[in-house]
Amino acid sequence: KRADCGFRLNDMVIPLEAKGQWHSKVWTAAQTQLDEDYAIDHKAAGYGIYLVFWFGANVPQNRRLCSPPRGERLPNSTSEMAEQLEARIAKARRDGIKVFVLDLDRSGRRRFRSRSTDFTLIEGAGILSITRNPVHRKASSPDAYKSRGSNS
């Protein structure tokens, strides 16, 4: 078994486990895969990142949010999802296992065609949002997109 991705810094390798909102193990993988299988590796030193891809409710039936375990409410937002996932991690492990819910819900948003993408991490809420912004300059010539000071 191995994590979906890992981030290396010197001798340390931080594992990342990712799941789509529809995955049958989205509610348990932070504990059963990431914490119990990957974060225990000596190079991980007890750390790990759990990433959930959130597409909201406006998706095909087979991509809808997997129902939470019995007795838990269905989250209505990325922040609710992050809170519920964090609550499932043992308190003693919450400093090492970090949960992020990537907001990919396109409903109600303007869509732009652009080469630039902004990533916004909302601290404390465990939410990572990607938004696309339009390019605010006009290309009068092919050279308009070259970086300043570039001779090529």
Side-chain angles (χ1 to χ4, degrees), residues 51 53 102-104 115-122 127-133:
L51 176 64
F53 301 108
L102 182 63
D103 187 359
L104 298 169
R115 292 185 182 167
S116 67
T117 301
D118 294 332
F119 292 85
T120 305
L121 174 61
I122 302 170
I127 304 166
L128 183 63
S129 289
I130 293 179
T131 55
R132 293 195 177 268
N133 292 322

Side-chain angles (χ1 to χ4, degrees), residues 7-14 43:
F7 300 94
R8 180 181 301 265
L9 176 64
N10 299 325
D11 291 336
M12 195 172 200
V13 178
I14 306 299
K43 289 184 177 183

Side-chain angles (χ1 to χ4, degrees), residues 16-83:
L16 178 139
E17 183 61 31
K19 298 279 185 245
Q21 68 179 27
W22 56 85
H23 196 282
S24 62
K25 295 182 180 174
V26 70
W27 292 102
T28 59
Q31 305 89 313
T32 60
Q33 283 183 267
L34 182 59
D35 193 23
E36 294 174 10
D37 292 340
Y38 313 138
I40 61 170
D41 186 274
H42 72 283
K43 289 184 177 183
Y47 291 97
I49 301 167
Y50 187 57
L51 176 64
V52 174
F53 301 108
W54 173 277
F55 292 89
N58 192 19
V59 293
Q61 180 70 32
N62 65 340
R63 293 295 187 235
R64 295 224 171 117
L65 178 61
C66 182
S67 295
R70 204 172 270 199
E72 294 185 34
R73 61 182 164 67
L74 190 68
N76 292 311
S77 67
T78 53
S79 58
E80 286 181 14
M81 180 84 174
E83 287 172 16

